[in-house]
Amino acid sequence: MSTIAASPGPMLAGSSGEEPARDNSRRIQLAFLIGFLLVWWLVTALALINPFFLPSPQAVARVFFRLVTTGEILPDLKITTGQIAVSFPIALLSGLAVGYAVSSSRYSVEVFEPMLAGLFAIPLIIFYPLNVLILGIGPESKIAHGAIYGFFPIVLSAIQGFGSVDRAYLRSAHSLGASRFQVLRRVLLPAALPSIMAGVRMGFVLTFVATIGSETIASLGGLGHRIVWYAESLETDKMFAYIVFIIIIAVVSNAVLSWIERRSDWR
Amino acid sequence: MRRRFSISDYLPVPAARILTVAIILVVWEITGRMADPLFFAPPSRCLTAAAEIFGDPKLQWALWLTLVELVTGFALSVVFGVLIGTAIGARATSYRSFFPIVMFLYAIPQVTVLPLFVLYFGPGAASKIAFGFSHGIFPVIITVVGALRGLDQTLLRSAYSMGASRMQVFRRITLPFIVPALFTGMRLGMTATLLGVLIGELYVSSGGIGMFTRLYTDSLRPDRLFALTAVLALMAIVINETLRRAETNVSHWRNA
């Protein structure tokens, strides 16, 4: 569906390793990573770049292990995950609820689906300063921003998923005397699950990225905040260590969600 | 089936959309008048604020600068995206060896490296162009590669067997084949570039619109901030719609 494809971000990444043999592409990615580290090491070892701009990989690794083992990273990690722990469930529940409501008739899909897709085509980051002004610079504005970003892919995939369930299933369930809730629980959700899971994964990725991004722009704490903090004090080894940490979280959570997404696809 | 009262019989789709927007505006106006004017503003006050701020030549300049950053980043994304995408997608071997690297890089949340862009390119326009470019190039590469991979090999083989030169094959088969996908890639690339440029602007800005969002936030002027946000949203919608129309036209031409 074009509206889903229109969404920005790294959501394509998880699902397209299939065509070139999966192992092969993993091996190439690993080789690339090793090559990248080698070049990085070489550039810093030969002192081609001022270490303020690019610290050596050994220095970053050292700082990284210190951050993780001493627990220095924990306070910021708690802030960021705490915000996502609130914003993502909001995005998920409201996305499913609105998606269910909109998909209830062809007419309401026709009215609301393009409006939602159109809103999602706007870079939602522009609403972040308003969030900060209205909700303050604390965690509330990040929660709101993360929830807004996660909401759209979930609601759009829910409309598409619920809407494409074969109407014959619904009619036969109704004629067998199923209640609205039973139909939702036993027919709609299982039938729509694979397409909804794709949206849920996208929604999580976007909530995560939006939370980090909003912490980068204006915040009092969190992983994104710390990156900026160390960038501004030119402690770039620490900044790189935090960047590596966030990338690892992103890659791991994307892998987990892709795995769930594949498992939920019974087709 | 039992015929029930249905709103769809009385209200055509466009009217229903306008009604939805109108209801939102009315609710916003009412809550806006009750809320603290330092933190929230009704649409009526935003309209007068819009008239004030857009008369300011400094803000006009900032919008212009943002547009220049966007267009430059986008142009770079398209040029390099098509070059890299063609190089990767043209052969099965280059596809197998380089495309996984593109997807690997694309999976990295780029906003984490935003401070690096500012560190390397400074707080001015260059860092926004670079950050927009780093967002925009991926959709272009990926769609071009996808299109080239989908190219029907029998078409190529039959063209070659009838004695077509490489140039003729490229001009008559490959290019017409990838143009619709290229338009899709350009639309997605534009959305991504805009996102990158705006994130860069909001993070730190010396003279772009990011400076003004910060100014209006710090001076507690929600009316001005709403007005500026609305204009940015409108800009994004217009750009997106224009490219979507162009894309539809092109794919019609291909299907015809």
Side-chain angles (χ1 to χ4, degrees):
Chain A
M1 219 174 97
S2 68
T3 48
I4 303 263
S7 55
M11 61 277 320
L12 288 169
S15 52
S16 50
E18 278 84 11
E19 203 196 319
R22 233 191 147 74
D23 301 343
N24 188 39
S25 75
R26 285 276 174 275
R27 232 176 294 140
I28 286 164
Q29 288 174 344
L30 197 68
F32 171 75
L33 196 62
I34 294 169
F36 175 79
L37 285 173
L38 264 177
V39 172
W40 181 7
W41 173 76
L42 216 64
V43 165
T44 50
L46 297 175
L48 297 176
I49 296 183
N50 185 338
F52 275 136
F53 286 136
L54 190 67
S56 70
Q58 313 92 283
V60 173
R62 216 176 311 130
V63 174
F64 180 83
F65 283 113
R66 209 196 57 225
L67 286 177
V68 176
T69 49
T70 60
E72 197 185 325
I73 210 162
L74 274 181
D76 289 308
L77 181 63
K78 266 187 201 152
I79 292 175
T80 302
T81 46
Q83 288 160 359
I84 295 172
V86 181
S87 57
F88 183 63
I90 293 176
L92 181 64
L93 292 178
S94 58
L96 290 181
V98 174
Y100 176 64
V102 169
S103 70
S104 62
S105 81
R106 186 179 289 275
Y107 174 73
S108 61
V109 172
E110 240 175 277
V111 173
F112 293 113
E113 205 261 1
M115 292 177 90
L116 290 166
L119 272 179
F120 191 37
I122 300 173
L124 299 169
I125 189 85
I126 58 173
F127 297 109
Y128 183 62
L130 280 171
N131 273 328
V132 173
L133 179 56
I134 296 167
L135 297 169
I137 200 169
E140 293 85 356
S141 50
K142 281 90 210 162
I143 291 171
H145 186 63
I148 291 172
Y149 250 110
F151 168 76
F152 281 96
I154 296 176
V155 76
L156 290 172
S157 70
I159 292 173
Q160 203 236 336
F162 288 139
S164 58
V165 174
D166 194 338
R167 297 289 120 180
Y169 292 163
L170 300 184
R171 244 174 292 139
S172 51
H174 276 299
S175 66
L176 290 170
S179 69
R180 267 186 102 82
F181 180 74
Q182 281 173 321
V183 172
L184 174 65
R185 169 86 185 70
R186 303 275 168 194
V187 182
L188 272 175
L189 266 181
L193 195 62
S195 40
I196 290 179
M197 270 314 294
V200 169
R201 182 168 67 88
M202 268 187 245
F204 183 83
V205 171
L206 288 187
T207 300
F208 179 75
V209 174
T211 305
I212 301 282
S214 56
E215 285 173 352
T216 305
I217 291 168
S219 65
L220 301 172
L223 296 171
H225 179 81
R226 206 54 59 195
I227 291 180
V228 176
W229 176 279
Y230 288 129
E232 283 171 359
S233 59
L234 281 183
E235 294 176 80
T236 33
D237 46 353
K238 291 186 181 167
M239 176 177 79
F240 271 82
Y242 273 90
I243 291 175
V244 170
F245 189 76
I246 292 175
I247 290 175
I248 291 174
I249 299 182
V251 169
V252 170
S253 54
N254 194 45
V256 170
L257 286 165
S258 310
W259 180 77
I260 297 176
E261 187 185 334
R262 276 198 304 277
R263 293 229 21 196
S264 72
D265 196 346
W266 41 264
R267 289 174 298 196
Chain B
M1 250 176 120
R2 189 160 53 97
R3 191 85 185 94
R4 285 180 308 180
F5 166 77
S6 170
I7 194 169
S8 55
D9 299 338
Y10 302 94
L11 205 58
V13 169
R17 286 193 196 141
I18 293 169
L19 185 68
T20 313
V21 175
I23 291 172
I24 293 172
L25 282 176
V26 168
V27 172
W28 177 10
E29 180 75 37
I30 294 169
T31 47
R33 280 171 192 240
M34 293 188 298
D36 186 338
L38 288 181
F39 299 101
F40 201 72
S44 53
R45 213 148 59 79
C46 300
L47 269 181
T48 42
E52 275 166 41
I53 60 172
F54 292 112
D56 181 355
K58 275 194 199 133
L59 184 74
Q60 288 167 5
W61 167 245
L63 278 171
W64 177 243
L65 179 66
T66 307
L67 209 62
V68 169
E69 289 163 358
L70 174 68
V71 170
T72 317
F74 176 64
L76 290 172
S77 299
V78 172
V79 170
F80 285 95
V82 169
L83 286 178
I84 297 173
T86 317
I88 292 178
R91 286 166 194 283
T93 45
S94 58
Y95 170 72
R96 273 200 305 272
S97 14
F98 293 110
F99 198 59
I101 296 174
V102 172
M103 296 316 285
F104 177 77
L105 292 175
Y106 190 44
I108 294 172
Q110 290 191 33
V111 70
T112 56
V113 291
L114 172 57
L116 277 182
F117 277 78
V118 177
L119 203 61
Y120 295 161
F121 296 98
S127 59
K128 281 86 189 170
I129 293 171
F131 201 57
F133 168 70
S134 79
H135 275 71
I137 190 170
F138 284 101
V140 180
I141 295 180
I142 290 167
T143 44
V144 168
V145 170
L148 284 175
R149 287 289 90 203
L151 184 54
D152 191 350
Q153 296 300 317
T154 47
L155 279 180
L156 294 185
R157 237 174 296 138
S158 53
Y160 282 124
S161 69
M162 287 188 273
S165 70
R166 279 183 100 69
M167 196 56 218
Q168 282 172 321
V169 169
F170 182 76
R171 170 80 193 73
R172 303 277 167 190
I173 300 177
T174 314
L175 200 61
F177 193 84
I178 66 167
V179 160
L182 183 61
F183 268 79
T184 309
M186 276 164 60
R187 177 173 60 78
L188 297 175
M190 176 54 110
T191 313
T193 310
L194 183 61
L195 179 71
V197 167
L198 289 172
I199 295 176
E201 276 290 338
L202 294 183
Y203 172 57
V204 61
S205 177
S206 54
I209 53 105
M211 202 176 82
F212 287 89
T213 56
R214 193 140 296 196
L215 178 68
Y216 300 151
T217 311
D218 293 346
S219 57
L220 300 180
R221 290 300 302 264
D223 49 344
R224 294 186 167 186
L225 188 56
F226 268 115
L228 179 55
T229 307
V231 168
L232 292 178
L234 206 67
M235 199 170 98
I237 292 173
V238 169
I239 290 172
N240 198 57
E241 273 303 300
T242 316
L243 289 175
R244 215 172 49 81
R245 295 260 157 93
E247 185 188 342
T248 325
N249 285 340
V250 170
S251 46
H252 276 302
W253 155 77
R254 186 187 147 194
N255 293 337

